[in-house]
Amino acid sequence: MSRKTVILPKGRRARIGSPWIFANELKMDAATKAIPSGSIVNVRGEDGRAFGTGYFNARSLIAVRLLAPDCDVAIDADFFVARIGQALHLRQTLYDKPFYRLVHAEGDGLPGLVIDRFDDVLTIQIGSAGMEKQLDPILAALDAALKPRTVILRNDAPSRALEGLESYVRAAKGEGARIVVMENGCRYFADLTGGQKTGWYYDQRDNRAFMASLAKGKSVLDAYSYSGGFGLLAARAGAKEVVCLDSSAPALALAEESARANGVTIKPVKADVIEELERLIAAGEKFDIVIADPPPFVKSKKDLEPGAKAYRKLARMAAEVTGRSGFLLVASCSHNIPPERFAAECAAGMARSGRAAALIRQAGAGPDHPVHPLLPESAYLKALVYALD
Ligand code: SAH
């Protein structure tokens, strides 16, 4: 089947260099609308000028995601070998161990594709119909580049429904697995099929190291701990007490197991964070260091106001359980709340707690989560660290 061409009318191209072309930027005639979802297309101006090769989805507001700046570029295993090779080279420059996000979608020139690497085990998340169609060449490219033992497809993100994709988790190669993650010198266990997201959150790596650098001799509350990413590293850094607080029993069981493997102890508490904070506040209990890294409170644009309020409340309550001269990290992984708004809500929460706070660190995800310069909104993670009075 010959490749279809979609047309950008003259003067309609909003952002040159952007990997996204919106449906309202394209000439949406009947022929264009009839192109099957996920097809590889050429994008040209009315004058024939090449805008690139991408994949098309008439059901999505983002009608085309570009893969290459020229037309007629072959999207095959060789293409993915080259792109994944480039992504791998960057990570090998950044890290001395093979544990990282290997591919971060548009940031690595591969929209709709996320791959996490745990040595010879890979997890893949596909978020678009266009990438779903490329699964075979992607798997072939990964075999050529890395010879993985196990490849897990974590294709169960709710957002897939918007692209008309089904939800599933399966092993494309090997067996679904409990694995070890080496990060910041710490040994963690993760469950790649039963766990949340891809089983491990690499995005907080640098923020975990920063909080651990403050932890020696201190008491630490790791709220929304998952399997202990922050808490364990703090314990290894010499914290005198670490409480890991989460509503998930399996996540806390992994945290305990990881603690044993590192020769440290943590106290797991299975509870709702807000209820537990209420209890701690009522009891007057404080921690020298508090980490609050919740699930996304703003899941879509329409949740912005209630979600923003929830961040303010969390910041207030977390500040109230932070001891004198303590440190507090509040994070948001909602890309639907802009960084300024998140910071404003945290500031308001802190003010309501009656504590004086100084912002000492404003960070995002680590460098294995590169951001396309024209898609600043894909920098979803915001982590603010305050020194309290
Ligand atoms: N800080 C973690 C990642 C947190 S992910 C790390 O460094 O890896 C968010 C966590 O919040 C999940 O583990 C989830 O189980 C937990 N969670 C979600 N809602 C919760 C609630 N109401 N109370 C307690 N934990 C909750």
Side-chain angles (χ1 to χ4, degrees), residues 290-302:
V290 177
I291 292 133
D293 178 24
F297 287 163
V298 186
K299 289 218 173 77
S300 66
K301 290 223 156 47
K302 69 173 172 31

Side-chain angles (χ1 to χ4, degrees), residues 76-86 88 92 102 115 117 122 124 135-149 151 173:
D76 52 15
D78 287 346
F79 168 82
F80 287 103
V81 165
R83 281 290 155 88
I84 291 170
Q86 219 176 345
L88 179 61
Q92 286 173 334
L102 170 63
I115 305 176
R117 179 176 189 193
L122 303 174
I124 301 182
L135 185 57
D136 288 342
I138 291 168
L139 292 173
L142 288 170
D143 262 337
L146 294 167
K147 300 197 177 28
R149 177 170 57 88
V151 179
K173 187 176 179 186

Side-chain angles (χ1 to χ4, degrees), residues 28 51 59 138 147 181 188 274 284 294 352 357 359 382:
M28 270 293 176
F51 279 97
R59 297 172 58 136
I138 291 168
K147 300 197 177 28
V181 188
Y188 298 94
I274 296 297
R352 284 184 192 192
L359 187 55
K382 299 158 276 279

Side-chain angles (χ1 to χ4, degrees), residues 196 201 208 224-226 229-230 246-248 271-273 293-295:
Q196 298 167 27
Y201 298 97
R208 291 176 183 132
Y224 305 98
S225 65
Y226 189 47
F230 281 95
D246 202 282
S247 55
S248 159
D272 174 81
V273 165
D293 178 24

Side-chain angles (χ1 to χ4, degrees), residues 46-373:
E46 265 174 331
D47 55 359
R49 183 181 154 192
F51 279 97
T53 296
Y55 58 74
F56 179 80
N57 189 345
R59 297 172 58 136
S60 172
L61 279 179
I62 307 166
V64 178
R65 290 173 196 246
L66 288 173
L67 295 163
D70 303 312
C71 286
D72 293 314
V73 171
I75 305 303
D76 52 15
D78 287 346
F79 168 82
F80 287 103
V81 165
R83 281 290 155 88
I84 291 170
Q86 219 176 345
L88 179 61
H89 180 255
L90 172 62
R91 275 59 174 189
Q92 286 173 334
T93 309
L94 292 166
Y95 304 107
D96 59 1
K97 292 213 161 52
F99 296 88
Y100 35 71
R101 174 148 295 186
L102 170 63
V103 169
H104 190 53
E106 280 85 352
D108 286 296
L110 291 167
L113 181 65
V114 167
I115 305 176
D116 283 344
R117 179 176 189 193
F118 307 90
D119 196 6
D120 57 359
V121 177
L122 303 174
T123 61
I124 301 182
Q125 288 175 286
I126 293 179
S128 64
M131 268 303 164
E132 187 89 2
K133 285 215 164 143
Q134 303 301 326
L135 185 57
D136 288 342
I138 291 168
L139 292 173
L142 288 170
D143 262 337
L146 294 167
K147 300 197 177 28
R149 177 170 57 88
T150 299
V151 179
I152 310 282
L153 302 173
R154 277 305 299 250
N155 286 334
D156 54 344
S159 55
R160 281 172 57 94
L162 300 172
E163 290 271 324
L165 294 170
E166 52 168 340
S167 171
Y168 63 91
V169 176
R170 71 175 169 87
K173 187 176 179 186
E175 274 169 36
R178 276 282 303 278
I179 49 114
V180 169
V181 188
M182 293 299 300
E183 188 192 280
N184 290 314
C186 188
R187 216 174 126 82
Y188 298 94
F189 297 113
D191 178 350
L192 300 186
T193 40
Q196 298 167 27
K197 269 222 220 149
T198 59
W200 184 251
Y201 298 97
Y202 276 126
D203 52 1
Q204 293 282 23
R205 177 194 316 247
D206 293 353
N207 301 322
R208 291 176 183 132
F210 181 77
M211 295 313 284
S213 76
L214 306 169
K216 191 162 185 221
K218 304 285 175 61
S219 59
V220 176
L221 174 64
D222 180 2
Y224 305 98
S225 65
Y226 189 47
S227 42
F230 281 95
L232 242 81
L233 200 64
R236 272 180 61 104
K240 69 171 186 225
E241 181 201 3
V242 175
V243 173
C244 286
L245 171 57
D246 202 282
S247 55
S248 159
L252 290 171
L254 280 174
E256 271 191 289
E257 227 181 295
S258 305
R260 277 196 294 279
N262 286 276
V264 294
T265 44
I266 54 129
K267 184 177 165 211
V269 175
K270 181 182 170 318
D272 174 81
V273 165
I274 296 297
E275 285 174 14
E276 180 64 7
L277 287 175
E278 272 165 6
R279 193 192 68 73
L280 291 167
I281 292 166
E285 283 185 52
K286 309 248 189 229
F287 294 82
D288 300 315
I289 294 178
V290 177
I291 292 133
D293 178 24
F297 287 163
V298 186
K299 289 218 173 77
S300 66
K301 290 223 156 47
K302 69 173 172 31
D303 300 331
L304 179 61
E305 291 311 318
K309 225 170 132 185
Y311 284 120
R312 190 190 320 163
K313 180 176 176 188
L314 177 64
R316 172 181 63 76
M317 297 180 86
E320 285 181 30
V321 299
T322 306
R324 285 271 154 254
S325 305
F327 295 97
L328 169 60
L329 176 146
V330 190
S332 164
C333 57
S334 307
H335 65 89
N336 285 312
I337 183 166
E340 318 77 56
R341 181 72 194 272
F342 175 64
E345 296 301 335
C346 290
M350 221 82 61
R352 284 184 192 192
S353 76
R355 301 293 297 275
L359 187 55
I360 60 166
R361 178 179 163 94
Q362 307 176 60
D368 53 346
H369 292 61
V371 173
H372 190 290

